[in-house]
Amino acid sequence: MFIGDSLSLNIWQSLICMLHAAVPNSRIIKQELNSNTISAVTFQDYKISVMLFHSLYLVDVDEERIGRVLKLNSMRNGDHWKNNDVLVFNTWLWWYRRGLKQQWDYVNDEGRITKDIDRMTAFRTALTTWAKWVDSDVDTNRTKVIFQGISPSHYNGTEWNEPGVRNCFKEMEPFNGSSAYPVGLPEAAYVVKDVIRNIKKPVHLLDITALSQLRKDAHPSSYNAFKGMDCTHWCVAGLTDTWNQLLYAALLS
């Protein structure tokens, strides 16, 4: 099961395409489960389901009298997740969004309700809630836990030594600098590594950030359904297939 936002959808779709390519004659069914919060594709001949649970923040967002409350210390959906054989978690994309794109009105942190909070602090707190849940609720003897690392976007050409470029449109080659990506890793990637480092149970980091930073050419750009400029998600087939090759290696390790 993949648990997360549209970047979880991205890698989930990629994996299903790769599996179908490997067994094109397998009987496949697709289902929407749990009030459409879970999408499941089942390869019936192999008795294997590849599922996607849609969750923007991993922690809860509840409708209350005052509005939508992001609860940094609450994660009730864990019972839907913990009994699967493999769990691949992802969150970050929605943490820094504001205005109409923000999916909550208030934040609850240990009972203290505020209109806003430092977003990186909130992200770390929520990940710590997830980490505590892994330690307390997941039997890692039967369930492998993986965190899908931070996926970069490409809206600022200064990051890849092209000042003035404002998105990934017409980018046709990967970044080919002789050293590491000029701006280094995003802060969120260090938060993820720090939280995982303190989990007592085994959790594998699918460390996709640095390799994905190089792929400014791998986004849909203007070729997408919502007719905007998408330099956040990734073409399928494409970079997400590489993520899944790394996932495959992690599952075999």
Side-chain angles (χ1 to χ4, degrees):
M1 176 179 278
F2 293 87
I3 303 106
D5 52 38
S6 52
L7 288 160
S8 292
L9 171 64
N10 221 170
I11 188 173
W12 177 74
Q13 289 174 329
S14 165
L15 180 58
I16 290 168
C17 289
M18 295 174 78
L19 292 173
H20 180 261
V23 287
N25 298 318
S26 178
R27 293 174 299 154
I28 297 173
I29 58 171
K30 185 175 186 297
Q31 298 167 287
E32 299 296 327
L33 309 170
N34 193 46
S35 302
N36 293 326
T37 59
I38 299 175
S39 299
V41 173
T42 301
F43 291 77
Q44 292 179 293
D45 299 331
Y46 298 86
K47 298 180 180 179
I48 289 177
S49 292
V50 186
M51 292 177 282
L52 173 72
F53 188 104
H54 181 67
S55 175
L56 300 183
Y57 306 103
L58 300 184
V59 294
D60 298 331
V61 179
D62 288 341
E63 283 282 354
E64 298 190 354
R65 182 181 54 81
I66 59 174
R68 301 166 298 175
V69 181
L70 175 64
K71 297 185 174 180
L72 299 180
N73 320 108
S74 174
M75 206 179 69
R76 293 190 307 274
N77 285 318
D79 286 344
H80 294 298
W81 309 336
K82 64 183 182 182
N83 292 321
N84 289 287
D85 298 296
V86 180
L87 300 174
V88 184
F89 292 93
N90 153 64
T91 184
W92 169 240
L93 180 60
W94 287 82
W95 284 94
Y96 55 84
R97 296 194 173 185
R98 301 178 184 273
L100 294 176
K101 291 185 176 181
Q102 181 176 297
Q103 300 298 298
W104 47 269
D105 305 304
Y106 293 88
V107 182
N108 184 327
D109 184 10
E110 299 288 359
R112 181 169 176 266
I113 297 177
T114 57
K115 279 289 285 183
D116 207 350
I117 188 173
D118 177 82
R119 301 306 175 90
M120 199 63 69
T121 299
F123 178 60
R124 178 184 287 274
T125 301
L127 277 189
T128 301
T129 297
W130 163 79
K132 291 177 179 176
W133 171 81
V134 171
D135 274 337
S136 65
D137 282 38
V138 180
D139 179 1
T140 51
N141 291 315
R142 71 170 300 274
T143 299
K144 192 171 184 75
V145 181
I146 295 171
F147 194 91
Q148 178 183 328
I150 302 300
S151 175
S153 58
H154 291 92
Y155 290 100
N156 181 1
T158 303
E159 294 182 355
W160 59 89
N161 296 334
E162 292 184 31
V165 173
R166 296 169 53 188
N167 53 53
C168 59
F169 187 56
K170 294 185 178 180
E171 294 290 343
M172 299 178 67
E173 298 289 338
F175 176 76
N176 62 357
S178 57
S179 58
Y181 198 63
V183 295
L185 294 176
E187 184 181 354
Y190 291 105
V191 171
V192 168
K193 291 181 179 182
D194 188 46
V195 171
I196 290 177
R197 190 179 301 117
N198 289 292
I199 298 178
K200 297 180 180 68
K201 290 184 177 177
V203 174
H204 178 82
L205 174 62
L206 191 66
D207 200 354
I208 58 170
T209 307
L211 69 91
S212 302
Q213 284 180 314
L214 306 179
R215 293 303 309 276
K216 59 188 173 64
D217 60 311
H219 299 284
S221 68
S222 61
Y223 302 96
N224 59 74
F226 64 87
K227 310 250 188 302
M229 182 57 60
D230 186 356
C231 302
T232 298
H233 302 95
W234 307 92
C235 294
V236 176
L239 176 66
T240 48
D241 297 344
T242 301
W243 295 0
N244 276 311
Q245 293 282 3
L246 295 174
L247 175 61
Y248 177 63
L251 294 178
L252 293 182
S253 65

